[in-house]
Amino acid sequence: MTEAVFQAPKRRARVYESYEGPFPVPLCADGAGGPEPLVYRADVVNRHVVVRDPAHIGAVYGKGYFGKGVLSRSKPQHSISERFQRFGDQRLPVISSSKYEQHVNWARELLLAQGLDEDVVDEMLQKCVQPVPEVGVEEEEEEGEGQEGVTCSEDRSASTGPLPPCGLSDGERPKPRRQGDPRYDPLAELHERMDRETVDGTHFSRHDGRVEQEDRRCPLPSAGCQYVLVEEEAERHEQAALETNGHRSGVRLVCRINPFQVIEYLQLSPEEAFFLVYALGCLSIYYNEEPLTIANLWEMFCSAQPNFDTTYAAYHYFRSKGWVPKTGVKYGTDFLLYRKGPPFYHASYSVVVEKVDGSFRGATLRPFTWRSLAALNRITGNVSKELMLCYVISPPDLSAEERRSPECMKRLKVQEIIVSRWVSSRERTEQEEI
């Protein structure tokens, strides 16, 4: 047996984020006058723990990198489109007509599921998807402004796509008006009309491929979320003008209200959720609008995941050592260990968690053969990681009744072993050099 050599973490080539902190709690001494600890909220949806509030999502993921966006690879940054276009004094996402039609169909299905008549639903959606004109700015005599209104605004530096023709040059363009004022903002006036004509208090959203309805009034989102520019086929008499002004051949952009918003949530693993509740005390988890106690959460997670006590003990151990554990299912292990977080370093270790007694015996959670262990070790080495076996040691007198409470964590011990592949030629060369 040779001594394990710990390799330095491999830094990522391009880092676009700044490190905010290891945990989503203020780090200050008692009595130092620091900010009050904020308790974030999560909900149990279909036996999954999700954070819905955007401010809470940013704090929980940004400090400690807990959870994963349900529509993104890791960081919750899903957007309806990667292209944005200037519309008046706002920048709106650009989507295809087929994608917009899909959103309309989702909204229609949800309204029909509520028991509304088809004629009523079609009338509601017909009013909702009407094109939003880009109304010019009215002249204000009381302010003494002598500039005429325009039909569009142009920003060549911020726009990622073709712009509609504009009648004024940059020096003649009037100042943008305050958004939200119905006298100058046609989007605000249209939204007020839609609030009166559509279903009151209904917000359409889609989570994990499942349509749901939340009976709560949501504030008007930003223009980039509520309104979209739809690519539609242009009329023949418009194509020449569009091509002259740099538009894609035969395509025009029409501003419409998005009737069905796809909202991204932050999904927490059971170990992450329980750590935030039990170890940090900065998260409160609700089920059917009722907060769950620590004992309720432990019972819920243990019933859904029989070996939760073992995996959480390993997760708690590595978090307390400064590592950021994430799921290792794509490499056939339980956890991947990151220094600081996935945006800064590649994972250093692939961890397999095992439950043993004091003599390192017991029913293994993942029985290995020499062949399967060698294959897992080879896969781990090919992705520049090291294989680690994490043994959670429980005392022989720990009863099943005690395991039903998180107090059993105080009696568990953790020991890790790094598995390395012995290469005869390399070992022989090193001995000859010595």
Side-chain angles (χ1 to χ4, degrees), residues 14-319:
R14 297 179 180 87
V15 178
Y16 303 100
E17 299 184 20
S18 59
Y19 185 70
E20 298 184 22
F23 300 121
V25 292
L27 301 178
C28 60
D30 294 336
E36 289 291 332
L38 178 63
V39 177
Y40 307 102
R41 169 166 177 163
D43 295 274
V44 178
V45 179
N46 287 346
R47 305 187 73 175
H48 297 286
V49 180
V50 295
V51 182
R52 307 189 186 200
D53 192 302
H56 294 186
I57 291 175
V60 172
Y61 185 86
K63 296 182 179 180
Y65 299 95
F66 293 88
K68 173 191 175 300
V70 296
L71 301 176
S72 305
R73 291 186 59 184
S74 181
K75 183 179 180 179
Q77 56 184 3
H78 169 75
S79 176
I80 187 174
S81 174
E82 296 181 356
R83 294 176 52 207
F84 283 80
Q85 171 69 53
R86 182 66 69 171
F87 182 82
D89 56 355
Q90 300 172 345
R91 296 183 72 248
L92 305 182
V94 180
I95 64 175
S96 63
S97 58
S98 60
K99 187 173 183 179
Y100 184 78
E101 186 67 26
Q102 188 179 37
H103 284 216
V104 175
N105 293 334
W106 285 344
R108 187 175 189 275
E109 292 175 1
L110 184 56
L111 291 174
L112 292 176
Q114 299 175 12
L116 300 178
D117 294 337
E118 292 189 9
D119 295 339
V120 176
V121 172
D122 293 338
E123 183 179 358
M124 293 171 57
L125 292 179
Q126 184 65 28
K127 295 178 180 179
C128 180
V129 301
Q130 289 296 321
V132 180
E134 189 174 7
V135 179
V137 180
E138 295 290 338
E139 180 182 359
E140 290 185 343
E141 297 180 358
E142 64 273 16
E143 295 183 4
E145 296 185 6
Q147 292 178 337
E148 297 291 337
V150 296
T151 58
C152 65
S153 173
E154 185 176 6
D155 187 352
R156 294 183 179 90
S157 61
S159 175
T160 58
L163 297 175
C166 190
L168 296 181
S169 63
D170 292 339
E172 300 174 341
R173 184 170 300 109
K175 298 180 180 179
R177 301 298 182 184
R178 180 177 299 175
Q179 298 182 17
D181 191 341
R183 293 181 300 170
Y184 311 117
D185 188 359
L187 303 185
E189 180 181 358
L190 180 59
H191 181 73
E192 291 179 0
R193 187 174 75 250
M194 293 307 304
D195 274 347
R196 296 191 299 266
E197 295 177 350
T198 55
V199 179
D200 292 335
T202 301
H203 178 67
F204 308 120
S205 63
R206 175 176 289 264
H207 167 69
D208 266 350
R210 182 181 61 86
V211 176
E212 63 178 13
Q213 176 187 359
E214 300 174 4
D215 292 327
R216 56 184 176 88
R217 179 165 295 280
C218 296
L220 175 64
S222 63
C225 296
Q226 181 70 14
Y227 301 95
V228 294
L229 295 176
V230 185
E231 293 182 328
E232 298 183 357
E233 185 176 355
E235 301 293 339
R236 288 188 176 181
H237 65 277
E238 298 176 331
Q239 293 183 5
L242 292 174
E243 293 177 2
T244 303
N245 290 274
H247 283 64
R248 199 172 69 184
S249 177
V251 175
R252 64 175 181 175
L253 299 179
V254 181
C255 180
R256 299 180 186 273
I257 291 182
N258 181 17
F260 192 96
Q261 296 186 52
V262 182
I263 302 177
E264 181 170 38
Y265 299 142
L266 182 72
Q267 181 174 339
L268 301 173
S269 69
E271 292 82 8
E272 291 172 327
F274 195 78
F275 182 84
L276 292 171
V277 175
Y278 175 70
L280 300 182
C282 64
L283 183 70
S284 182
I285 301 179
Y286 287 74
Y287 181 69
N288 291 335
E289 298 300 325
E290 293 292 334
L292 299 175
T293 64
I294 293 178
N296 295 144
L297 287 173
W298 182 266
E299 182 180 358
M300 176 185 297
F301 292 148
C302 287
S303 61
Q305 188 174 318
N307 300 310
F308 175 75
D309 57 340
T310 303
T311 56
Y312 176 74
Y315 182 91
H316 191 115
Y317 172 80
F318 289 119
R319 271 288 181 179

